[in-house]
Amino acid sequence: MKHLYLTITLLFILFNAYSQQTLSEIIKKNTSTFHYQDNQFKGDGWEEILGQIKEHKNVLIGEDHFFNEIPLFISKATSQVKFDNFFCEIDPYSAKIIEQKIHTLNENELTQYVSDLSSNLSFSFYSMVPEFNMLKGLAQANTNIIGTDQIMLTADKLMAIKLLEITKNEVAKTIYEDIKKRSDEHFQLFINKKGGPYFFSEKFEQNLKKLETLKLSLEEKLIIKDLKLSREIYITQNHYLRIQLMKNNVFKNIGLLKEHKNLFKYGAIHINKGESILGGYDIGNFVSNITDANFDSSLHVMIIGKNGTQGIPFSKEVQKIDLNSKDLKHYSVFFENTEGKEWHLFNTSKILKGVNSNKIKIDNKVLLKTLKGFDYIIVIPEVSAALNIN
Protein backbone atom coordinates (compact mmCIF):
# COMPACT_ATOMS: atom_id res chain seq x y z
CA MET A 1 0.00 0.00 0.00
CA LYS A 2 2.88 2.29 0.84
CA HIS A 3 4.49 1.60 -2.54
CA LEU A 4 1.19 2.32 -4.32
CA TYR A 5 0.88 5.69 -2.53
CA LEU A 6 4.45 6.65 -3.51
CA THR A 7 3.80 5.62 -7.10
CA ILE A 8 0.61 7.72 -7.33
CA THR A 9 2.37 10.71 -5.72
CA LEU A 10 5.28 10.43 -8.14
CA LEU A 11 2.93 10.20 -11.14
CA PHE A 12 1.03 13.26 -9.89
CA ILE A 13 4.27 15.26 -9.59
CA LEU A 14 5.43 14.17 -13.05
CA PHE A 15 2.01 15.00 -14.57
CA ASN A 16 2.09 18.50 -13.11
CA ALA A 17 5.66 19.05 -14.28
CA TYR A 18 4.78 18.09 -17.85
CA SER A 19 1.42 19.88 -17.92
CA GLN A 20 2.73 23.20 -16.62
CA GLN A 21 3.00 25.85 -19.30
CA THR A 22 5.38 28.76 -19.73
CA LEU A 23 4.13 32.35 -20.09
CA SER A 24 5.06 32.31 -23.78
CA GLU A 25 3.07 29.10 -24.35
CA ILE A 26 0.03 30.57 -22.57
CA ILE A 27 0.25 33.71 -24.70
CA LYS A 28 0.44 31.74 -27.95
CA LYS A 29 -2.60 29.71 -26.92
CA ASN A 30 -4.64 32.90 -26.40
CA THR A 31 -3.69 34.85 -29.52
CA SER A 32 -5.61 35.52 -32.71
CA THR A 33 -4.71 37.66 -35.72
CA PHE A 34 -6.29 39.98 -38.29
CA HIS A 35 -5.19 42.27 -41.10
CA TYR A 36 -6.23 45.36 -43.03
CA GLN A 37 -7.14 44.73 -46.66
CA ASP A 38 -9.43 46.40 -49.21
CA ASN A 39 -10.29 49.22 -46.82
CA GLN A 40 -11.45 46.88 -44.04
CA PHE A 41 -10.18 44.63 -41.28
CA LYS A 42 -10.50 40.89 -41.72
CA GLY A 43 -9.67 37.81 -39.64
CA ASP A 44 -10.56 35.94 -36.46
CA GLY A 45 -8.98 38.58 -34.23
CA TRP A 46 -11.10 41.33 -35.77
CA GLU A 47 -14.29 39.33 -35.33
CA GLU A 48 -13.39 38.61 -31.70
CA ILE A 49 -12.58 42.19 -30.70
CA LEU A 50 -15.52 43.61 -32.68
CA GLY A 51 -17.82 41.17 -30.89
CA GLN A 52 -16.48 42.36 -27.53
CA ILE A 53 -16.94 46.01 -28.53
CA LYS A 54 -20.56 45.29 -29.48
CA GLU A 55 -21.17 43.47 -26.21
CA HIS A 56 -19.93 46.15 -23.79
CA LYS A 57 -21.59 49.50 -23.00
CA ASN A 58 -18.30 51.08 -21.90
CA VAL A 59 -15.31 50.46 -24.18
CA LEU A 60 -11.93 51.92 -23.20
CA ILE A 61 -9.01 52.14 -25.64
CA GLY A 62 -5.58 52.74 -24.10
CA GLU A 63 -3.07 53.70 -26.76
CA ASP A 64 0.47 54.69 -27.50
CA HIS A 65 -0.10 58.11 -29.12
CA PHE A 66 0.72 59.65 -32.52
CA PHE A 67 0.10 56.77 -34.95
CA ASN A 68 -2.12 56.68 -38.05
CA GLU A 69 -3.27 53.11 -37.44
CA ILE A 70 -5.07 53.51 -34.10
CA PRO A 71 -7.55 56.17 -35.32
CA LEU A 72 -8.06 53.95 -38.37
CA PHE A 73 -8.87 50.96 -36.14
CA ILE A 74 -11.35 53.05 -34.12
CA SER A 75 -12.95 54.54 -37.25
CA LYS A 76 -13.53 51.07 -38.68
CA ALA A 77 -14.96 49.79 -35.39
CA THR A 78 -17.28 52.79 -34.99
CA SER A 79 -18.49 52.40 -38.57
CA GLN A 80 -19.98 49.08 -37.43
CA VAL A 81 -20.84 49.89 -33.82
CA LYS A 82 -22.75 53.09 -32.95
CA PHE A 83 -21.57 54.93 -29.84
CA ASP A 84 -23.64 57.57 -28.05
CA ASN A 85 -20.68 59.32 -26.42
CA PHE A 86 -16.95 59.68 -27.02
CA PHE A 87 -14.87 60.57 -23.95
CA CYS A 88 -11.45 61.88 -24.96
CA GLU A 89 -8.14 63.36 -23.83
CA ILE A 90 -8.92 66.99 -24.65
CA ASP A 91 -10.55 69.74 -22.59
CA PRO A 92 -14.38 70.10 -22.54
CA TYR A 93 -14.39 73.50 -24.27
CA SER A 94 -12.18 72.52 -27.20
CA ALA A 95 -14.22 69.33 -27.67
CA LYS A 96 -17.46 71.30 -28.00
CA ILE A 97 -15.85 73.91 -30.28
CA ILE A 98 -14.65 71.20 -32.69
CA GLU A 99 -17.99 69.38 -32.55
CA GLN A 100 -19.90 72.60 -33.30
CA LYS A 101 -17.63 73.51 -36.22
CA ILE A 102 -18.02 70.03 -37.72
CA HIS A 103 -21.80 70.41 -37.62
CA THR A 104 -22.01 74.03 -38.86
CA LEU A 105 -19.21 74.60 -41.38
CA ASN A 106 -19.08 73.24 -44.91
CA GLU A 107 -16.13 71.06 -45.90
CA ASN A 108 -13.96 73.90 -47.26
CA GLU A 109 -14.69 76.18 -44.31
CA LEU A 110 -13.96 73.36 -41.84
CA THR A 111 -10.66 72.52 -43.54
CA GLN A 112 -9.59 76.17 -43.43
CA TYR A 113 -10.68 76.63 -39.81
CA VAL A 114 -8.87 73.54 -38.55
CA SER A 115 -5.78 74.33 -40.62
CA ASP A 116 -5.58 77.85 -39.16
CA LEU A 117 -5.84 76.67 -35.57
CA SER A 118 -4.00 73.35 -35.71
CA SER A 119 -0.62 74.84 -36.62
CA ASN A 120 0.12 75.23 -32.90
CA LEU A 121 -1.70 72.04 -31.82
CA SER A 122 -4.59 74.05 -30.36
CA PHE A 123 -6.76 70.93 -30.59
CA SER A 124 -4.16 68.67 -28.93
CA PHE A 125 -4.23 65.19 -30.58
CA TYR A 126 -7.06 66.27 -32.83
CA SER A 127 -4.76 68.71 -34.62
CA MET A 128 -3.38 65.61 -36.35
CA VAL A 129 -4.85 64.36 -39.63
CA PRO A 130 -6.02 60.83 -38.66
CA GLU A 131 -7.25 61.91 -35.22
CA PHE A 132 -9.30 64.79 -36.62
CA ASN A 133 -10.80 62.61 -39.36
CA MET A 134 -11.77 60.02 -36.74
CA LEU A 135 -13.37 62.71 -34.56
CA LYS A 136 -15.20 64.17 -37.56
CA GLY A 137 -16.62 60.75 -38.38
CA LEU A 138 -17.88 60.31 -34.83
CA ALA A 139 -19.47 63.77 -34.71
CA GLN A 140 -21.14 63.25 -38.09
CA ALA A 141 -22.59 60.00 -36.72
CA ASN A 142 -24.14 62.13 -33.95
CA THR A 143 -21.84 60.81 -31.25
CA ASN A 144 -21.58 63.31 -28.42
CA ILE A 145 -17.95 64.48 -27.95
CA ILE A 146 -16.99 64.85 -24.27
CA GLY A 147 -13.61 66.35 -23.38
CA THR A 148 -12.24 65.61 -19.92
CA ASP A 149 -8.64 66.86 -19.87
CA GLN A 150 -6.87 70.07 -18.92
CA ILE A 151 -6.69 72.91 -21.45
CA MET A 152 -3.76 72.39 -23.81
CA LEU A 153 -0.78 74.68 -23.15
CA THR A 154 -1.11 76.07 -26.68
CA ALA A 155 -4.91 76.37 -26.66
CA ASP A 156 -4.88 79.80 -24.99
CA LYS A 157 -5.53 81.46 -28.37
CA LEU A 158 -8.48 79.11 -29.02
CA MET A 159 -9.92 79.94 -25.59
CA ALA A 160 -9.41 83.69 -26.20
CA ILE A 161 -11.35 83.43 -29.49
CA LYS A 162 -14.16 81.59 -27.69
CA LEU A 163 -14.21 84.16 -24.88
CA LEU A 164 -14.32 87.05 -27.38
CA GLU A 165 -17.44 85.48 -28.90
CA ILE A 166 -19.35 85.36 -25.61
CA THR A 167 -18.15 88.32 -23.54
CA LYS A 168 -20.06 91.57 -23.09
CA ASN A 169 -17.38 93.19 -20.94
CA GLU A 170 -15.28 95.74 -22.86
CA VAL A 171 -12.29 95.49 -20.51
CA ALA A 172 -12.33 91.70 -20.83
CA LYS A 173 -12.37 92.05 -24.63
CA THR A 174 -9.06 93.95 -24.59
CA ILE A 175 -7.49 91.25 -22.38
CA TYR A 176 -8.76 88.41 -24.61
CA GLU A 177 -7.35 90.22 -27.66
CA ASP A 178 -4.02 90.55 -25.86
CA ILE A 179 -3.98 86.82 -25.04
CA LYS A 180 -4.79 85.96 -28.64
CA LYS A 181 -1.98 88.14 -30.00
CA ARG A 182 0.68 87.14 -27.49
CA SER A 183 -0.13 83.44 -27.85
CA ASP A 184 0.87 83.57 -31.52
CA GLU A 185 4.04 85.55 -30.79
CA HIS A 186 5.19 83.21 -28.02
CA PHE A 187 4.41 80.09 -30.04
CA GLN A 188 6.85 81.13 -32.75
CA LEU A 189 9.54 81.59 -30.10
CA PHE A 190 8.59 78.24 -28.56
CA ILE A 191 8.90 76.15 -31.73
CA ASN A 192 12.20 77.88 -32.56
CA LYS A 193 13.44 77.04 -29.04
CA LYS A 194 13.84 80.70 -28.10
CA GLY A 195 11.26 80.78 -25.34
CA GLY A 196 8.28 79.11 -23.74
CA PRO A 197 4.55 79.18 -24.55
CA TYR A 198 2.59 82.24 -23.47
CA PHE A 199 0.60 79.90 -21.20
CA PHE A 200 3.62 79.72 -18.86
CA SER A 201 4.39 83.44 -18.78
CA GLU A 202 3.86 85.83 -15.86
CA LYS A 203 1.95 88.15 -18.21
CA PHE A 204 -0.62 85.40 -18.86
CA GLU A 205 -0.98 84.80 -15.12
CA GLN A 206 -1.52 88.56 -14.60
CA ASN A 207 -4.17 88.63 -17.30
CA LEU A 208 -6.03 85.77 -15.60
CA LYS A 209 -5.91 87.63 -12.26
CA LYS A 210 -7.32 90.79 -13.91
CA LEU A 211 -10.14 88.78 -15.47
CA GLU A 212 -11.06 87.32 -12.07
CA THR A 213 -11.83 90.85 -10.83
CA LEU A 214 -14.26 91.67 -13.65
CA LYS A 215 -18.00 91.17 -13.93
CA LEU A 216 -18.22 88.28 -16.38
CA SER A 217 -20.71 85.63 -17.49
CA LEU A 218 -20.77 82.24 -15.77
CA GLU A 219 -19.33 80.57 -18.90
CA GLU A 220 -16.40 83.01 -18.98
CA LYS A 221 -15.72 82.43 -15.30
CA LEU A 222 -15.63 78.64 -15.79
CA ILE A 223 -13.19 78.88 -18.71
CA ILE A 224 -10.91 81.26 -16.79
CA LYS A 225 -11.03 78.99 -13.74
CA ASP A 226 -10.01 76.01 -15.86
CA LEU A 227 -7.27 77.99 -17.62
CA LYS A 228 -5.84 78.77 -14.19
CA LEU A 229 -6.10 75.14 -13.05
CA SER A 230 -4.56 73.84 -16.29
CA ARG A 231 -1.66 76.27 -15.95
CA GLU A 232 -1.05 75.03 -12.40
CA ILE A 233 -1.03 71.39 -13.58
CA TYR A 234 1.57 72.14 -16.24
CA ILE A 235 3.84 74.35 -14.14
CA THR A 236 3.84 72.09 -11.08
CA GLN A 237 3.80 68.88 -13.19
CA ASN A 238 1.05 67.66 -10.86
CA HIS A 239 -0.05 64.38 -12.45
CA TYR A 240 -2.38 63.56 -9.55
CA LEU A 241 -4.24 66.88 -9.95
CA ARG A 242 -4.63 66.21 -13.67
CA ILE A 243 -6.15 62.78 -12.97
CA GLN A 244 -8.49 64.35 -10.42
CA LEU A 245 -9.63 66.83 -13.07
CA MET A 246 -10.25 64.11 -15.67
CA LYS A 247 -12.17 61.92 -13.22
CA ASN A 248 -14.21 64.95 -12.15
CA ASN A 249 -15.16 65.65 -15.76
CA VAL A 250 -16.21 62.02 -16.24
CA PHE A 251 -18.13 62.19 -12.96
CA LYS A 252 -20.14 65.14 -14.31
CA ASN A 253 -21.43 62.69 -16.95
CA ILE A 254 -21.81 59.68 -14.66
CA GLY A 255 -25.43 59.09 -15.69
CA LEU A 256 -24.29 58.26 -19.23
CA LEU A 257 -22.25 55.24 -18.09
CA LYS A 258 -25.25 53.07 -17.24
CA GLU A 259 -27.70 53.36 -20.13
CA HIS A 260 -25.59 54.65 -23.02
CA LYS A 261 -22.90 53.22 -25.30
CA ASN A 262 -19.62 54.99 -24.49
CA LEU A 263 -16.18 54.97 -26.09
CA PHE A 264 -13.12 56.21 -24.19
CA LYS A 265 -9.78 56.90 -25.92
CA TYR A 266 -6.77 57.88 -23.79
CA GLY A 267 -3.11 57.08 -23.35
CA ALA A 268 -2.62 53.52 -22.10
CA ILE A 269 -1.42 54.77 -18.69
CA HIS A 270 -4.95 56.09 -18.01
CA ILE A 271 -7.04 53.05 -18.98
CA ASN A 272 -5.89 50.26 -16.63
CA LYS A 273 -8.93 48.92 -14.75
CA GLY A 274 -6.82 48.46 -11.62
CA GLU A 275 -3.85 50.48 -10.43
CA SER A 276 -2.34 52.71 -13.11
CA ILE A 277 1.05 51.91 -14.62
CA LEU A 278 2.26 55.19 -13.06
CA GLY A 279 0.65 54.38 -9.72
CA GLY A 280 -2.63 55.65 -8.32
CA TYR A 281 -6.08 55.12 -9.81
CA ASP A 282 -7.03 56.70 -13.11
CA ILE A 283 -9.92 56.98 -15.58
CA GLY A 284 -9.91 53.26 -16.37
CA ASN A 285 -10.28 52.26 -12.73
CA PHE A 286 -12.94 54.94 -12.19
CA VAL A 287 -15.10 53.76 -15.11
CA SER A 288 -14.54 50.09 -14.21
CA ASN A 289 -15.82 50.69 -10.66
CA ILE A 290 -18.86 52.67 -11.81
CA THR A 291 -19.72 50.00 -14.38
CA ASP A 292 -19.26 47.27 -11.79
CA ALA A 293 -21.61 49.14 -9.43
CA ASN A 294 -24.17 49.03 -12.25
CA PHE A 295 -23.85 45.19 -12.34
CA ASP A 296 -21.94 45.31 -15.63
CA SER A 297 -18.36 45.16 -16.88
CA SER A 298 -16.26 47.50 -19.03
CA LEU A 299 -13.90 46.48 -21.84
CA HIS A 300 -10.26 47.66 -21.58
CA VAL A 301 -8.02 47.36 -24.65
CA MET A 302 -4.37 48.42 -25.02
CA ILE A 303 -3.00 49.13 -28.52
CA ILE A 304 0.75 49.45 -29.20
CA GLY A 305 3.04 49.30 -32.24
CA LYS A 306 6.01 46.99 -32.80
CA ASN A 307 7.88 48.54 -35.74
CA GLY A 308 7.75 51.77 -37.70
CA THR A 309 7.63 55.46 -36.83
CA GLN A 310 5.80 57.68 -34.37
CA GLY A 311 4.89 61.37 -34.48
CA ILE A 312 6.46 63.93 -32.14
CA PRO A 313 4.40 66.81 -30.68
CA PHE A 314 5.38 70.30 -31.91
CA SER A 315 7.72 68.84 -34.52
CA LYS A 316 7.74 67.89 -38.20
CA GLU A 317 10.18 65.12 -37.33
CA VAL A 318 9.22 61.51 -36.58
CA GLN A 319 10.89 58.94 -34.35
CA LYS A 320 11.56 55.26 -34.85
CA ILE A 321 9.85 52.77 -32.55
CA ASP A 322 12.27 51.56 -29.87
CA LEU A 323 11.21 48.30 -28.22
CA ASN A 324 13.79 48.90 -25.48
CA SER A 325 12.28 52.25 -24.49
CA LYS A 326 11.05 52.70 -20.92
CA ASP A 327 7.43 52.41 -22.09
CA LEU A 328 7.68 49.39 -24.41
CA LYS A 329 10.36 47.21 -22.82
CA HIS A 330 7.82 45.68 -20.42
CA TYR A 331 5.92 44.05 -23.29
CA SER A 332 8.80 42.14 -24.90
CA VAL A 333 7.03 38.80 -24.31
CA PHE A 334 4.18 39.99 -26.57
CA PHE A 335 6.50 41.35 -29.25
CA GLU A 336 8.36 38.03 -29.26
CA ASN A 337 5.07 36.29 -30.02
CA THR A 338 4.18 38.64 -32.88
CA GLU A 339 5.17 37.48 -36.36
CA GLY A 340 4.67 38.72 -39.91
CA LYS A 341 2.38 41.53 -41.06
CA GLU A 342 -0.73 40.45 -39.14
CA TRP A 343 -2.18 42.49 -36.27
CA HIS A 344 -2.10 40.33 -33.13
CA LEU A 345 -4.89 40.24 -30.55
CA PHE A 346 -3.85 38.88 -27.14
CA ASN A 347 -6.64 37.85 -24.78
CA THR A 348 -5.01 39.07 -21.56
CA SER A 349 -7.93 37.98 -19.38
CA LYS A 350 -7.36 34.35 -20.42
CA ILE A 351 -3.58 34.77 -20.27
CA LEU A 352 -3.87 35.97 -16.65
CA LYS A 353 -5.97 32.91 -15.77
CA GLY A 354 -3.27 30.71 -17.30
CA VAL A 355 -0.58 32.54 -15.34
CA ASN A 356 -2.48 32.02 -12.08
CA SER A 357 -3.34 28.35 -12.70
CA ASN A 358 0.28 27.56 -13.62
CA LYS A 359 1.51 29.59 -10.62
CA ILE A 360 3.85 31.64 -12.81
CA LYS A 361 5.56 34.45 -10.94
CA ILE A 362 5.82 37.72 -12.89
CA ASP A 363 8.44 40.04 -11.42
CA ASN A 364 7.86 42.87 -13.91
CA LYS A 365 5.31 45.05 -12.09
CA VAL A 366 4.24 46.96 -15.20
CA LEU A 367 3.58 43.73 -17.11
CA LEU A 368 1.62 42.32 -14.16
CA LYS A 369 -0.49 45.50 -13.86
CA THR A 370 -1.17 45.31 -17.59
CA LEU A 371 -2.30 41.68 -17.44
CA LYS A 372 -4.59 42.49 -14.52
CA GLY A 373 -5.83 45.79 -15.94
CA PHE A 374 -6.57 45.08 -19.60
CA ASP A 375 -8.83 42.52 -21.24
CA TYR A 376 -6.94 42.60 -24.54
CA ILE A 377 -3.66 43.84 -25.97
CA ILE A 378 -3.39 44.59 -29.69
CA VAL A 379 0.08 44.73 -31.26
CA ILE A 380 0.29 46.44 -34.65
CA PRO A 381 3.19 44.98 -36.66
CA GLU A 382 4.02 48.20 -38.54
CA VAL A 383 2.92 51.71 -37.54
CA SER A 384 3.36 55.08 -39.22
CA ALA A 385 3.69 58.54 -37.70
CA ALA A 386 0.61 60.77 -37.46
CA LEU A 387 1.39 64.30 -38.58
CA ASN A 388 -0.13 67.70 -37.89
CA ILE A 389 -2.86 68.87 -40.31
CA ASN A 390 -0.47 71.56 -41.57
Side-chain angles (χ1 to χ4, degrees), residues 139-161:
Q140 289 174 338
N142 294 318
T143 299
N144 184 30
I145 312 300
I146 301 173
T148 61
D149 207 351
Q150 71 215 43
I151 296 170
M152 182 74 175
L153 61 92
T154 51
D156 44 6
K157 177 183 176 181
L158 180 64
M159 293 301 108
I161 293 171

mmCIF file of all heavy atoms in Angstrom, residues 139-161:
data_model
loop_
_atom_site.group_PDB
_atom_site.id
_atom_site.type_symbol
_atom_site.label_atom_id
_atom_site.label_comp_id
_atom_site.label_asym_id
_atom_site.label_seq_id
_atom_site.Cartn_x
_atom_site.Cartn_y
_atom_site.Cartn_z
ATOM 1 N N ALA A 139 -18.516 62.654 -34.843
ATOM 2 C CA ALA A 139 -19.465 63.771 -34.707
ATOM 3 C C ALA A 139 -20.554 63.695 -35.777
ATOM 4 O O ALA A 139 -21.734 63.936 -35.497
ATOM 5 C CB ALA A 139 -18.716 65.098 -34.793
ATOM 6 N N GLN A 140 -20.159 63.354 -36.998
ATOM 7 C CA GLN A 140 -21.141 63.254 -38.089
ATOM 8 C C GLN A 140 -22.110 62.089 -37.889
ATOM 9 O O GLN A 140 -23.200 62.093 -38.459
ATOM 10 C CB GLN A 140 -20.407 63.134 -39.428
ATOM 11 C CG GLN A 140 -19.724 64.431 -39.841
ATOM 12 C CD GLN A 140 -18.866 64.296 -41.088
ATOM 13 O OE1 GLN A 140 -18.441 63.196 -41.448
ATOM 14 N NE2 GLN A 140 -18.595 65.410 -41.744
ATOM 15 N N ALA A 141 -21.698 61.117 -37.073
ATOM 16 C CA ALA A 141 -22.589 60.003 -36.721
ATOM 17 C C ALA A 141 -23.418 60.332 -35.478
ATOM 18 O O ALA A 141 -24.047 59.459 -34.880
ATOM 19 C CB ALA A 141 -21.776 58.732 -36.485
ATOM 20 N N ASN A 142 -23.385 61.619 -35.105
ATOM 21 C CA ASN A 142 -24.139 62.133 -33.947
ATOM 22 C C ASN A 142 -23.702 61.520 -32.623
ATOM 23 O O ASN A 142 -24.509 61.338 -31.700
ATOM 24 C CB ASN A 142 -25.644 61.939 -34.157
ATOM 25 C CG ASN A 142 -26.174 62.789 -35.297
ATOM 26 O OD1 ASN A 142 -25.806 63.954 -35.435
ATOM 27 N ND2 ASN A 142 -27.019 62.208 -36.131
ATOM 28 N N THR A 143 -22.420 61.198 -32.536
ATOM 29 C CA THR A 143 -21.836 60.806 -31.251
ATOM 30 C C THR A 143 -21.464 62.068 -30.499
ATOM 31 O O THR A 143 -20.816 62.966 -31.057
ATOM 32 C CB THR A 143 -20.587 59.925 -31.470
ATOM 33 O OG1 THR A 143 -20.977 58.734 -32.165
ATOM 34 C CG2 THR A 143 -19.931 59.558 -30.152
ATOM 35 N N ASN A 144 -21.862 62.141 -29.255
ATOM 36 C CA ASN A 144 -21.580 63.310 -28.418
ATOM 37 C C ASN A 144 -20.103 63.310 -28.015
ATOM 38 O O ASN A 144 -19.615 62.322 -27.467
ATOM 39 C CB ASN A 144 -22.484 63.254 -27.177
ATOM 40 C CG ASN A 144 -22.345 64.473 -26.296
ATOM 41 O OD1 ASN A 144 -22.060 65.565 -26.766
ATOM 42 N ND2 ASN A 144 -22.549 64.283 -25.009
ATOM 43 N N ILE A 145 -19.376 64.394 -28.269
ATOM 44 C CA ILE A 145 -17.953 64.483 -27.949
ATOM 45 C C ILE A 145 -17.786 65.110 -26.571
ATOM 46 O O ILE A 145 -18.224 66.239 -26.334
ATOM 47 C CB ILE A 145 -17.185 65.319 -29.002
ATOM 48 C CG1 ILE A 145 -17.537 64.868 -30.432
ATOM 49 C CG2 ILE A 145 -15.683 65.238 -28.748
ATOM 50 C CD1 ILE A 145 -17.214 63.419 -30.743
ATOM 51 N N ILE A 146 -17.146 64.382 -25.656
ATOM 52 C CA ILE A 146 -16.991 64.847 -24.273
ATOM 53 C C ILE A 146 -15.506 64.934 -23.921
ATOM 54 O O ILE A 146 -14.822 63.920 -23.787
ATOM 55 C CB ILE A 146 -17.714 63.906 -23.286
ATOM 56 C CG1 ILE A 146 -19.202 63.823 -23.632
ATOM 57 C CG2 ILE A 146 -17.510 64.383 -21.845
ATOM 58 C CD1 ILE A 146 -19.977 62.799 -22.834
ATOM 59 N N GLY A 147 -15.003 66.140 -23.793
ATOM 60 C CA GLY A 147 -13.613 66.349 -23.383
ATOM 61 C C GLY A 147 -13.492 66.301 -21.882
ATOM 62 O O GLY A 147 -14.384 66.753 -21.156
ATOM 63 N N THR A 148 -12.387 65.762 -21.376
ATOM 64 C CA THR A 148 -12.237 65.610 -19.923
ATOM 65 C C THR A 148 -10.896 66.116 -19.389
ATOM 66 O O THR A 148 -10.664 66.099 -18.189
ATOM 67 C CB THR A 148 -12.357 64.123 -19.531
ATOM 68 O OG1 THR A 148 -11.319 63.385 -20.181
ATOM 69 C CG2 THR A 148 -13.708 63.550 -19.915
ATOM 70 N N ASP A 149 -10.016 66.565 -20.273
ATOM 71 C CA ASP A 149 -8.643 66.864 -19.868
ATOM 72 C C ASP A 149 -8.464 68.339 -19.503
ATOM 73 O O ASP A 149 -9.383 69.147 -19.621
ATOM 74 C CB ASP A 149 -7.690 66.482 -21.011
ATOM 75 C CG ASP A 149 -6.291 66.118 -20.523
ATOM 76 O OD1 ASP A 149 -5.991 66.314 -19.321
ATOM 77 O OD2 ASP A 149 -5.493 65.630 -21.334
ATOM 78 N N GLN A 150 -7.242 68.682 -19.127
ATOM 79 C CA GLN A 150 -6.867 70.075 -18.923
ATOM 80 C C GLN A 150 -6.834 70.804 -20.268
ATOM 81 O O GLN A 150 -6.822 70.176 -21.320
ATOM 82 C CB GLN A 150 -5.481 70.156 -18.285
ATOM 83 C CG GLN A 150 -4.359 69.768 -19.241
ATOM 84 C CD GLN A 150 -3.226 69.050 -18.543
ATOM 85 O OE1 GLN A 150 -3.445 68.177 -17.712
ATOM 86 N NE2 GLN A 150 -2.009 69.401 -18.883
ATOM 87 N N ILE A 151 -6.808 72.126 -20.227
ATOM 88 C CA ILE A 151 -6.692 72.911 -21.453
ATOM 89 C C ILE A 151 -5.248 72.848 -21.934
ATOM 90 O O ILE A 151 -4.315 73.066 -21.165
ATOM 91 C CB ILE A 151 -7.125 74.370 -21.213
ATOM 92 C CG1 ILE A 151 -8.611 74.412 -20.832
ATOM 93 C CG2 ILE A 151 -6.874 75.225 -22.456
ATOM 94 C CD1 ILE A 151 -9.098 75.762 -20.343
ATOM 95 N N MET A 152 -5.081 72.528 -23.212
ATOM 96 C CA MET A 152 -3.760 72.388 -23.814
ATOM 97 C C MET A 152 -2.942 73.666 -23.637
ATOM 98 O O MET A 152 -3.471 74.773 -23.732
ATOM 99 C CB MET A 152 -3.926 72.066 -25.299
ATOM 100 C CG MET A 152 -2.647 71.841 -26.054
ATOM 101 S SD MET A 152 -1.934 70.238 -25.652
ATOM 102 C CE MET A 152 -0.560 70.197 -26.788
ATOM 103 N N LEU A 153 -1.640 73.521 -23.399
ATOM 104 C CA LEU A 153 -0.777 74.679 -23.148
ATOM 105 C C LEU A 153 -0.681 75.641 -24.328
ATOM 106 O O LEU A 153 -0.252 76.786 -24.184
ATOM 107 C CB LEU A 153 0.627 74.223 -22.730
ATOM 108 C CG LEU A 153 1.438 73.372 -23.712
ATOM 109 C CD1 LEU A 153 2.324 74.233 -24.593
ATOM 110 C CD2 LEU A 153 2.286 72.355 -22.971
ATOM 111 N N THR A 154 -1.098 75.186 -25.516
ATOM 112 C CA THR A 154 -1.113 76.074 -26.685
ATOM 113 C C THR A 154 -2.537 76.374 -27.149
ATOM 114 O O THR A 154 -2.734 76.856 -28.266
ATOM 115 C CB THR A 154 -0.314 75.445 -27.849
ATOM 116 O OG1 THR A 154 -0.771 74.113 -28.060
ATOM 117 C CG2 THR A 154 1.175 75.428 -27.542
ATOM 118 N N ALA A 155 -3.515 76.098 -26.302
ATOM 119 C CA ALA A 155 -4.911 76.370 -26.660
ATOM 120 C C ALA A 155 -5.402 77.690 -26.083
ATOM 121 O O ALA A 155 -6.596 77.979 -26.120
ATOM 122 C CB ALA A 155 -5.810 75.222 -26.196
ATOM 123 N N ASP A 156 -4.480 78.518 -25.554
ATOM 124 C CA ASP A 156 -4.884 79.804 -24.988
ATOM 125 C C ASP A 156 -5.508 80.716 -26.050
ATOM 126 O O ASP A 156 -6.474 81.435 -25.791
ATOM 127 C CB ASP A 156 -3.712 80.505 -24.287
ATOM 128 C CG ASP A 156 -2.414 80.446 -25.074
ATOM 129 O OD1 ASP A 156 -2.422 79.971 -26.223
ATOM 130 O OD2 ASP A 156 -1.384 80.881 -24.529
ATOM 131 N N LYS A 157 -4.964 80.661 -27.275
ATOM 132 C CA LYS A 157 -5.534 81.456 -28.374
ATOM 133 C C LYS A 157 -6.957 80.985 -28.686
ATOM 134 O O LYS A 157 -7.867 81.810 -28.870
ATOM 135 C CB LYS A 157 -4.659 81.336 -29.612
ATOM 136 C CG LYS A 157 -5.206 82.077 -30.827
ATOM 137 C CD LYS A 157 -4.318 81.862 -32.042
ATOM 138 C CE LYS A 157 -4.921 82.513 -33.283
ATOM 139 N NZ LYS A 157 -4.079 82.301 -34.482
ATOM 140 N N LEU A 158 -7.153 79.677 -28.752
ATOM 141 C CA LEU A 158 -8.478 79.109 -29.019
ATOM 142 C C LEU A 158 -9.474 79.546 -27.951
ATOM 143 O O LEU A 158 -10.612 79.914 -28.254
ATOM 144 C CB LEU A 158 -8.390 77.585 -29.072
ATOM 145 C CG LEU A 158 -9.680 76.822 -29.349
ATOM 146 C CD1 LEU A 158 -10.211 77.142 -30.735
ATOM 147 C CD2 LEU A 158 -9.467 75.324 -29.185
ATOM 148 N N MET A 159 -9.044 79.520 -26.678
ATOM 149 C CA MET A 159 -9.919 79.937 -25.588
ATOM 150 C C MET A 159 -10.224 81.436 -25.682
ATOM 151 O O MET A 159 -11.350 81.867 -25.414
ATOM 152 C CB MET A 159 -9.272 79.624 -24.232
ATOM 153 C CG MET A 159 -9.128 78.145 -23.917
ATOM 154 S SD MET A 159 -10.676 77.214 -23.903
ATOM 155 C CE MET A 159 -10.493 76.271 -25.423
ATOM 156 N N ALA A 160 -9.217 82.233 -26.070
ATOM 157 C CA ALA A 160 -9.414 83.686 -26.202
ATOM 158 C C ALA A 160 -10.443 83.986 -27.288
ATOM 159 O O ALA A 160 -11.300 84.870 -27.129
ATOM 160 C CB ALA A 160 -8.087 84.365 -26.520
ATOM 161 N N ILE A 161 -10.381 83.251 -28.411
ATOM 162 C CA ILE A 161 -11.351 83.434 -29.492
ATOM 163 C C ILE A 161 -12.758 83.090 -29.001
ATOM 164 O O ILE A 161 -13.723 83.815 -29.272
ATOM 165 C CB ILE A 161 -10.970 82.557 -30.708
ATOM 166 C CG1 ILE A 161 -9.664 83.069 -31.331
ATOM 167 C CG2 ILE A 161 -12.090 82.546 -31.742
ATOM 168 C CD1 ILE A 161 -9.083 82.143 -32.390
#
